[in-house]
Amino acid sequence: MATSQFSTCIQRLFSEIGFRHEPFPSYDANYWGPFHRWMLDTLGPTSSWGPKKLAELEHAAGGVIERSYPYASTELKLLFAKLTAIAILIDDSIEDEAVYDHLVQFSAKLYRGEAQQNGMLALYHTNMRELSDMYGEDSVLRGLATVPWINYIDACLMEKQIFTAECQRSKIVDPRQMRRCENEDGLALKFPHYLRSKSGIAEAYAAGIFKANKNQYLPLTKFIKVLPDLTFYIEVINDVLSFYKEELAGETYNLIHLRTRSISSSRVHSKGVDGEWTPYDTLQLLCDEIREATYRIDGLLRLDECERKMRGEAVESDIDDVDVEIAMQWRGWRDGYISWHLECRRYKLGFLECAVTSGMQRQE
């Protein structure tokens, strides 16, 4: 896929959903200072990573939380940043057999109330407990915020098993076996996103949107109906904006390639010249689905009306301050999450950030 095709597709999505690239925040010493020390003195010694890799991990994990939760307290941001850093480290360490053996036992030890023998996993468990405490008596939101971090471990193990099978599949030369695999892909149209949803931790990040600090309470009934679309948004925006770097690296085990394979095997044809369904077709399809999900979230949370109320314009009389809080915290996530992807070195999207920001300046 050409860079220009990718850029055009993403910029169109940003325009359709009304993305706003906010200025980069000034340095927050109260957030970055403690997080930096924790990375060096606490997390670092539990891993085999050197200073350079740890610095990149700090940049990625700390940045996504800072950008995505502009209304959150420092305490909440630090907890999410720490858990995010450990989750990335777990994913990148799963090929280490010693780490893998501990990951296999993580859930069992957790459910039996036994101590984790691996330092990184013990730290992971500690931060989950602290996050649980943050949610107080709100048992539903607490479950949404903490359980996905537990499930993430098993999701990583699931992906490892499936990826191992995928590698073996790629070596198949028997035409009959290949036809069987293609038939399975065509019948398993929903599996690629199911696999992605298991490792996305999206419900936990969504719960963070609606709990800016320990004392904030937002009625569950005012936002619960957006969660299916919101978790989809969180997972798929990441996959769409990760796709460029993954294509550069030649990676094919991701949502876009797996879904392309499923759609192609189900005999769906593209409108292109040769009629073959391609990863670019899937990228466009996902952008359409993100756009529709965003519209539904905005509508359910009455974002437009809340923003008009903040500007002092006349709105429906039942819009109250709680509605505005919820809508603004969603708006902060929706724009901040994309902004982070454009700015983070990991994604190599500097060309896209320049195109987006210059386009916005021309509109002004």
Side-chain angles (χ1 to χ4, degrees):
M1 182 188 306
T3 300
S4 59
Q5 282 184 305
F6 175 82
S7 181
T8 299
C9 187
I10 301 302
Q11 287 187 69
R12 182 171 62 247
L13 170 65
F14 289 172
S15 175
E16 289 170 343
I17 66 174
F19 164 63
R20 302 170 188 164
H21 187 270
E22 300 293 338
F24 195 79
S26 57
Y27 179 74
D28 183 354
N30 292 327
Y31 171 68
W32 284 105
F35 186 55
H36 177 67
R37 290 191 295 274
W38 179 86
M39 287 289 305
L40 287 182
D41 302 336
T42 305
L43 181 60
T46 71
S47 77
S48 60
W49 287 19
K52 185 175 181 180
K53 289 186 73 174
L54 286 171
E56 286 301 306
L57 180 59
E58 180 181 333
H59 167 74
V64 66
I65 301 305
E66 179 184 46
R67 271 311 226 164
S68 301
Y69 295 106
Y71 296 94
S73 67
T74 299
E75 182 183 12
L76 188 69
K77 286 192 290 188
L78 282 170
L79 281 173
F80 270 99
K82 290 174 182 180
L83 283 164
T84 300
I86 301 172
I88 295 172
L89 184 55
I90 288 169
D91 186 47
D92 287 354
S93 303
I94 200 166
E95 296 304 322
D96 183 320
E97 289 303 320
V99 174
Y100 178 79
D101 290 342
H102 287 294
L103 289 172
V104 169
Q105 294 298 318
F106 176 80
S107 296
K109 287 184 177 296
L110 189 71
Y111 301 145
R112 291 196 297 254
E114 298 175 1
Q116 302 292 335
Q117 299 303 305
N118 176 278
M120 175 177 61
L121 295 180
L123 192 58
Y124 191 60
H125 187 199
T126 296
N127 281 282
M128 280 195 295
R129 289 202 306 267
E130 292 177 4
L131 184 64
S132 175
D133 292 342
M134 177 70 68
Y135 285 82
E137 299 301 316
D138 193 338
S139 60
V140 174
L141 202 58
R142 182 172 64 245
L144 294 172
T146 56
V147 172
W149 300 101
I150 302 171
N151 292 338
Y152 172 75
I153 302 292
D154 292 329
C156 288
L157 297 172
M158 179 197 297
E159 283 194 328
K160 180 177 172 61
Q161 290 186 41
I162 296 171
F163 181 63
T164 300
E166 287 283 322
C167 291
Q168 294 172 348
R169 167 187 167 141
S170 67
K171 299 173 184 177
I172 293 175
V173 293
D174 185 340
R176 291 172 298 178
Q177 186 68 13
M178 283 302 298
R179 282 195 295 272
R180 177 184 174 184
C181 291
E182 289 172 0
N183 184 56
E184 289 176 354
D185 285 337
L187 293 172
L189 283 169
K190 293 187 177 181
F191 179 73
H193 190 259
Y194 168 80
L195 181 63
R196 179 64 182 93
S197 68
K198 299 299 287 185
S199 62
I201 325 179
E203 277 193 340
Y205 290 120
I209 297 172
F210 305 111
K211 183 76 170 176
N213 57 68
K214 194 168 187 175
N215 296 321
Q216 185 182 48
Y217 172 75
L218 300 173
L220 184 73
T221 53
K222 282 184 175 282
F223 61 81
I224 191 65
K225 292 180 181 178
V226 307
L227 288 188
D229 280 314
L230 183 48
T231 54
F232 178 84
Y233 176 95
I234 292 169
E235 291 158 358
V236 181
I237 280 285
N238 176 258
D239 283 350
V240 163
L241 296 180
S242 298
F243 187 60
Y244 180 75
K245 76 172 179 63
E246 290 168 353
E247 285 291 275
L248 291 178
E251 297 178 24
T252 58
Y253 188 69
N254 53 42
L255 175 63
I256 290 179
H257 277 285
L258 290 176
R259 193 165 176 189
T260 297
R261 204 168 74 196
S262 292
I263 295 174
S264 179
S265 296
S266 67
R267 305 297 185 264
V268 173
H269 297 290
S270 167
K271 296 178 181 178
V273 176
D274 57 6
E276 179 185 0
W277 190 271
T278 68
Y280 182 59
D281 293 315
T282 303
L283 176 66
Q284 291 180 302
L285 175 62
L286 288 172
C287 285
D288 289 343
E289 292 174 348
I290 291 168
R291 180 192 65 234
E292 295 306 316
T294 305
Y295 289 168
R296 287 191 293 268
I297 300 168
D298 288 353
L300 283 166
L301 299 185
R302 304 173 74 176
L303 177 62
D304 180 64
E305 294 163 272
C306 289
E307 289 189 322
R308 286 194 286 113
K309 180 173 183 176
M310 289 188 67
R311 294 194 297 266
E313 300 174 15
V315 295
E316 295 292 333
S317 60
D318 65 336
I319 295 287
D320 59 26
D321 290 344
V322 173
D323 294 319
V324 173
E325 274 189 285
I326 291 171
M328 292 303 98
Q329 285 172 210
W330 152 239
R331 181 90 219 190
W333 170 275
R334 138 201 223 290
D335 292 337
Y337 190 49
I338 293 175
S339 296
W340 169 74
H341 280 87
L342 299 181
E343 298 156 356
C344 183
R345 295 187 292 266
R346 177 183 179 92
Y347 296 97
K348 307 181 189 301
L349 294 176
F351 69 93
L352 185 56
E353 181 185 10
C354 290
V356 169
T357 53
S358 63
M360 290 181 174
Q361 288 169 358
R362 286 194 297 271
Q363 292 174 8
E364 294 171 0

